[in-house]
Amino acid sequence: MSNCVLFQPFALHDLTLQNRIVLAPMTRSRAGVERIPNRLMAEYYVQRSSAGLLITEATTISEQANGWNESPGIYTDEMAEGWKQTVNAVHEKGAVIFLQLWHLGRSSHSSFHNGKPAVAPSAIKINEPYIHTPTGKQPHEVPRALETDEIPKVVDDYRKAAELAKGAGFDGVEIHSANGYLIDTFLQSKTNHRTDQYGGSVENRYRFLKEVVEGVTSVWPANRVGVRVSPNGAFNDMGSPDYREQFTFVASQLDQFGLAYLH
């Protein structure tokens, strides 16, 4: 088996992976109510560190981004310090690890935000039965559409999270732009009914992701940044008729950045 290409080292730009196996990001709930990464999480990643590249579970970039019970965050110094346990332990095993940056958008619930509604590009509710919240299963709610002048603050939250990830010692970051979370809902015509510069055309719906990538690559070299998309995914009540046009354009635009990868 040692001669199999899968187990041979791979050059991911300036990083050398010990093999061509990648641990996909899998959302988890082991960070406790404070959302601070812990020893149990470090153990989990060490157990999988024979892979060449590990992509962490989805990790929220701000309090506004939360919406999954006890998932980890990367928006305080304490959270970044907590992640160091995982990063250091994985590096000792010779693996490379990227942190996945996450904002849940409309797939959150007011119970995560002191009664305030979740945010989204447009006030369109997820057409699914319920969401798991700190108080049990609850029906999905209509989100609040972000005002145009609020969007730069969200973009800056991604940038700040990227800085904290760099300080924690990660090898790179992945921008979660899939699965019906905030960025994906900006990209797709089903969930983006805006009439400002962030909605309407294929180009305008891409604008938010473009600004997030620009913010994150002001912190990291582009070849240490990945982007995840799900062009034809149905999770979180997604799926737009023009997805081929939209995501062909997105891929062509992202290609100009020289990113680590498109996931």
Side-chain angles (χ1 to χ4, degrees), residues 59-62 64-65 74 99-105 121 146 148 150-163 173-178 181-187 197-198 203-222 224-229 250 253-254 257 259:
T59 302
T60 51
I61 60 162
S62 66
Q64 184 197 69
I74 187 69
L99 179 74
Q100 191 187 62
L101 303 175
W102 192 29
H103 191 307
L104 281 94
L146 283 162
T148 305
E150 291 181 283
I151 292 176
K153 167 66 167 60
V154 183
V155 171
D156 198 52
D157 287 339
Y158 278 95
R159 183 192 62 77
K160 290 176 180 175
E163 285 185 340
V173 294
E174 177 178 287
I175 300 168
H176 196 344
S177 311
Y181 299 119
L182 184 64
I183 297 176
D184 193 28
T185 56
F186 268 90
L187 291 172
Q197 65 264 40
Y198 293 94
E203 293 82 3
N204 281 0
R205 294 200 304 268
Y206 165 68
R207 188 184 306 275
F208 179 57
L209 172 57
K210 174 177 179 285
E211 291 178 356
V212 170
V213 173
E214 288 171 344
V216 171
T217 56
S218 73
V219 176
W220 289 88
R224 296 294 190 97
V225 177
V227 172
R228 174 161 185 187
V229 294
V250 168
Q253 295 300 302
L254 291 176
F257 282 95
L259 300 174

Side-chain angles (χ1 to χ4, degrees), residues 33-224:
V33 295
E34 300 298 325
R35 303 186 182 276
I36 297 174
N38 52 48
R39 188 173 301 173
L40 180 64
M41 292 168 57
E43 180 182 356
Y44 169 84
Y45 287 103
V46 166
Q47 290 168 343
R48 290 151 180 82
S49 60
S50 57
L53 171 63
L54 309 181
I55 307 171
T56 71
E57 61 211 88
T59 302
T60 51
I61 60 162
S62 66
E63 288 188 6
Q64 184 197 69
N66 289 327
W68 195 286
N69 287 328
E70 300 189 9
S71 63
I74 187 69
Y75 51 89
T76 70
D77 292 337
E78 291 76 17
M79 290 169 176
E81 192 65 30
W83 272 117
K84 288 181 182 179
Q85 296 179 77
T86 292
V87 172
N88 293 340
V90 165
H91 283 165
E92 287 179 7
K93 296 292 185 178
V96 170
I97 184 166
F98 277 36
L99 179 74
Q100 191 187 62
L101 303 175
W102 192 29
H103 191 307
L104 281 94
R106 72 171 186 163
S107 63
S108 186
H109 187 269
S110 60
S111 59
F112 289 96
H113 309 291
N114 298 315
K116 298 178 181 178
V119 299
S122 302
I124 302 171
K125 183 176 73 169
I126 292 177
N127 186 26
E128 291 178 0
Y130 61 82
I131 177 177
H132 292 279
T133 79
T135 56
K137 292 181 181 179
Q138 300 284 348
H140 281 283
E141 300 170 326
V142 177
R144 177 179 68 81
L146 283 162
E147 299 292 340
T148 305
D149 60 6
E150 291 181 283
I151 292 176
K153 167 66 167 60
V154 183
V155 171
D156 198 52
D157 287 339
Y158 278 95
R159 183 192 62 77
K160 290 176 180 175
E163 285 185 340
L164 286 169
K166 194 170 190 180
F170 282 97
D171 299 296
V173 294
E174 177 178 287
I175 300 168
H176 196 344
S177 311
N179 298 357
Y181 299 119
L182 184 64
I183 297 176
D184 193 28
T185 56
F186 268 90
L187 291 172
Q188 296 211 38
S189 60
K190 181 176 183 178
T191 46
N192 185 341
H193 294 181
R194 301 180 72 91
T195 57
D196 64 0
Q197 65 264 40
Y198 293 94
S201 66
V202 165
E203 293 82 3
N204 281 0
R205 294 200 304 268
Y206 165 68
R207 188 184 306 275
F208 179 57
L209 172 57
K210 174 177 179 285
E211 291 178 356
V212 170
V213 173
E214 288 171 344
V216 171
T217 56
S218 73
V219 176
W220 289 88
N223 63 9
R224 296 294 190 97

